[in-house]
Amino acid sequence: TVTIVRIICIINRFIGSLSGEKRYMFVRRYWYGDSVKDIAAALDESEAKVKTALFRLRKDLAKELRKEGITE
């Protein structure tokens, strides 16, 4: 059975493996709930770049969770 502690450890490891900019995007969006517009402004990047990065990060996290047997 999957425990919440195991999931948290996997997510923390994933976040820890990210570059500073990607970690900032991920945490600001999914922990603090910042808008894509606000994240883009803070990083002086386009909203399109932030949206693309977040899409890829979600995809990479899903892949990691599948690898660990959390999701199918």
Side-chain angles (χ1 to χ4, degrees):
T1 118
V2 177
T3 66
I4 192 70
V5 173
R6 183 165 173 235
I7 294 169
I8 291 168
C9 288
I10 294 165
I11 293 171
N12 282 337
R13 186 177 62 226
F14 172 77
I15 292 170
S17 73
L18 301 175
S19 69
E21 185 176 83
K22 288 182 180 177
R23 184 179 310 122
Y24 179 86
M25 288 180 194
F26 190 89
V27 171
R28 294 309 306 188
R29 182 69 175 142
Y30 301 116
W31 182 262
Y32 294 105
D34 288 358
S35 69
V36 170
K37 182 179 181 177
D38 289 344
I39 296 167
L43 294 173
D44 195 28
E45 296 288 354
S46 69
E47 289 182 45
K49 180 178 178 180
V50 172
K51 286 179 185 179
T52 299
L54 290 169
F55 172 80
R56 290 176 179 160
L57 288 168
R58 288 191 309 271
K59 186 176 170 185
D60 290 346
L61 177 56
K63 181 179 174 183
E64 191 65 26
L65 291 170
R66 278 192 302 276
K67 184 177 107 179
E68 294 290 334
I70 304 300
T71 62
E72 295 180 6

